[in-house]
Amino acid sequence: MRAGFATLLFLALAACSAQRPPLVASDIDLRPPLPGTQMGAGYLTLTNNTEDPITITKVTSPQYDAVQMHESVVENGIARMRPLDSVTVPAHGSVTFEPGARHLMLMRPTGSGAGVTLHFLSGDSLVLTLNVPGKD
Ligand SMILES: [Cu+2]
């Protein structure tokens, strides 16, 4: 009985992941740092295909020393950015990173490779890896 349940669960997960990955990125627009600067930005939409919210707590990239999730806010008429500790993609919902709002900050390029790889983590779990080819 126990083995039967485990097998069934495995098949269900396999079928699910084959058709629809849990987290999907679209409208990806990465803007590398301009010459002479150390900060680029990244914009994209994350869509959650699962029944549960997915909370992104960290983003890493081999091509950057640090990647931060930021939010642009206007305080006393001055536009500022503040780091976000986490971003939650609701169950069957989407979250957008776009200019003037929530965005990714690509900080200090390491100079490795033409494209950019981004790893999205939820705690210790890797929930999405994106390989974005370089533009030329
Ligand atoms: Cu920023």
Side-chain angles (χ1 to χ4, degrees), residues 39-41 43 68-72 80-83 101-107:
M39 303 251 261
Y43 308 112
Q68 292 184 354
M69 298 183 285
H70 276 190
E71 181 177 52
S72 293
R80 296 177 190 282
M81 299 190 293
R82 74 177 167 218
R102 197 188 286 118
H103 58 275
L104 295 178
M105 220 66 214
L106 310 173
M107 306 166 81

Side-chain angles (χ1 to χ4, degrees), residues 14 35 37 45 48 76 90 114 118 124:
T37 74
T45 298
N48 179 354
N76 303 321
L118 291 172
D124 291 331

Side-chain angles (χ1 to χ4, degrees), residues 26-131:
S26 56
D27 299 325
I28 303 161
D29 180 9
L30 300 187
R31 303 188 187 171
L34 295 171
T37 74
Q38 291 288 301
M39 303 251 261
Y43 308 112
L44 74 166
T45 298
L46 295 175
T47 300
N48 179 354
N49 289 322
T50 75
E51 307 289 333
D52 301 300
I54 297 175
T55 299
I56 308 296
T57 54
K58 193 176 174 66
V59 185
T60 65
S61 170
Q63 286 79 29
Y64 290 93
D65 257 4
V67 180
Q68 292 184 354
M69 298 183 285
H70 276 190
E71 181 177 52
S72 293
V73 289
V74 177
E75 283 169 0
N76 303 321
I78 299 167
R80 296 177 190 282
M81 299 190 293
R82 74 177 167 218
L84 297 169
D85 288 336
S86 66
V87 168
T88 297
V89 189
H92 297 293
S94 296
V95 156
T96 301
F97 292 75
E98 59 193 343
R102 197 188 286 118
H103 58 275
L104 295 178
M105 220 66 214
L106 310 173
M107 306 166 81
R108 300 182 300 277
T110 57
S112 50
V116 175
T117 298
L118 291 172
H119 300 294
F120 293 81
L121 291 102
S122 182
D124 291 331
S125 307
L126 179 65
V127 289
L128 176 67
T129 292
L130 282 183
N131 291 301

